[in-house]
Amino acid sequence: MKMGTFWIPTIVFMITTSVLYLCDHLYNIELFSWFNFEETSNGGFTFGGSLNPIIYGFVAGFIAEWIYKSLKKLTT
């Protein structure tokens, strides 16, 4: 059952990343914002974005894969 080791971390990554970006959208958390755009006082602008939800998604995916593999090893 090799497909489980691919799909479970992928789904966990997508759900974690989506939930964190949704929390930013609902509660305006700058740490999780996808895109920031601000005008400065001298007529310029600054922009930026956060990759933190993507990083947290990867970490959650790796943890889910580790748990899945360890549980699979216990059952066999």
Side-chain angles (χ1 to χ4, degrees), residues 15-69:
I15 290 173
T16 303
T17 304
S18 300
V19 166
L20 290 175
Y21 280 130
L22 179 68
C23 286
D24 165 60
H25 181 71
L26 294 175
Y27 302 112
N28 201 16
I29 302 171
E30 190 172 321
L31 180 67
F32 298 143
S33 66
W34 174 252
F35 186 73
N36 296 335
F37 180 80
E38 297 178 11
E39 291 188 33
T40 60
S41 61
N42 62 0
F45 62 92
T46 61
F47 63 93
S50 177
L51 295 176
N52 288 336
I54 295 173
I55 294 169
Y56 296 149
F58 275 123
V59 170
F62 282 124
I63 291 171
E65 182 180 11
W66 177 74
I67 290 171
Y68 178 76
K69 284 183 178 180

Side-chain angles (χ1 to χ4, degrees), residues 4-15:
T5 59
F6 172 76
W7 284 111
I8 291 175
T10 303
I11 292 170
V12 168
F13 165 76
M14 291 188 315
I15 290 173

